[in-house]
Amino acid sequence: MRKAAVLRKLGLIGGMSWISTRSYYEDINRAVQARRGPTSSAPMLIENLDFRDLVGLSSDEDWARAAQVLLSSARRLEAAGAGLILIAANSMHRVYRELEAELSVPILHIAECVGEEMEAKGVKKAALIGPRNVITGGFYRRRLVAHGVDLLPPVVEYSDQVERIIYEELIKGRATRPAERLFKTIITEQAQEGAQAIVLGATELNLVIDVDANVLPIYDSARIHARRAAQWLLEEDG
């Protein structure tokens, strides 16, 4: 009888929020189970951070502190045997380079995964929806542009509403009708502006935006990121 291949081990920095971390855990395990059978699950280490210590970052000093928190977490995962690190939050990829420079294992960049998938699908013009620091931040937008995606200007007029929904509702797992209506309005307006697709720049947005049935194709950063992580786990599975 052929011995089953031993999978690599994944390290997930989560807790930002735990709602999206739960989705990552489920999506990665479902992908591994679909490939290897109903009794299989994903070898994974999870460092669940306290988001209270990382929310509302604004100054350079705040972000420097956040970088050290995430770096310490990544180092613990690396020391425990993780061969690839994931940060389960779009906004925290602002400190990606600081972590990349200090670790000996790779970090899978969420926007890079999204950009590669959009390029493969031939998307040339898209809109990015999420918290203010993501939709305006060069650290995220540059990754998509590098894959040939022309991004519409940030939808800043809705920023306060979007951030309130994310940080007061979605991180608690609450999906409300008013939130669903707001995002339908945003997506409709972006389609009218010429967007061919929508990128979800917050890992909780799939709670209120129907990824599979909308007026435009929806690129859910969390699901894409998790799927790529599962692919990495399965690469050496014969």
Side-chain angles (χ1 to χ4, degrees), residues 52-171:
R52 182 180 62 175
D53 299 329
L54 294 167
V55 72
L57 305 176
S58 56
S59 68
D60 290 342
E61 292 77 12
D62 288 340
W63 283 103
R65 175 177 56 82
Q68 288 305 307
V69 171
L70 267 69
L71 178 58
S72 295
S73 176
R75 281 174 169 161
R76 287 189 289 270
L77 293 170
E78 181 181 16
L84 180 72
I85 304 294
L86 263 75
I87 304 171
N90 284 276
S91 60
M92 292 301 161
H93 282 73
R94 174 168 167 167
V95 301
Y96 173 89
R97 288 183 177 177
E98 288 90 329
L99 273 64
E100 182 185 40
E102 298 292 334
L103 299 175
S104 60
V105 298
I107 312 171
L108 189 62
H109 197 294
I110 192 169
E112 192 69 23
C113 295
V114 175
E116 288 174 359
E117 184 153 325
M118 296 179 82
E119 184 176 17
K121 296 287 180 62
V123 177
K124 297 299 183 183
K125 194 169 187 178
L128 175 61
I129 298 176
R132 188 179 288 104
N133 75 310
V134 171
I135 66 172
T136 63
F139 75 94
Y140 201 95
R141 299 176 70 87
R142 281 193 298 267
R143 297 272 177 170
L144 301 183
V145 171
H147 287 282
V149 181
D150 179 19
L151 288 173
L152 294 179
V155 190
V156 292
E157 60 265 32
Y158 292 111
S159 293
D160 290 342
Q161 296 176 72
V162 169
E163 292 199 351
R164 185 195 63 77
I165 289 167
I166 292 171
Y167 296 121
E168 294 181 14
E169 297 178 8
L170 300 185
I171 65 171

Side-chain angles (χ1 to χ4, degrees), residues 14-22 48 51 88-89 170-171 203-204:
M16 307 166 290
S17 64
W18 68 263
I19 291 292
S20 58
T21 306
R22 178 181 64 185
N48 207 54
F51 192 33
L170 300 185
I171 65 171
T203 51
E204 300 86 5

Side-chain angles (χ1 to χ4, degrees), residues 9 12 23 28 33 40 42 65 88 93 117 145 157 167 178 188 214 226 232 236:
K9 187 177 291 184
L12 178 65
S23 297
I28 293 169
Q33 187 180 59
S40 189
R65 175 177 56 82
H93 282 73
E117 184 153 325
V145 171
E157 60 265 32
Y167 296 121
T188 299
N214 223 297
W232 177 85
E236 294 184 354

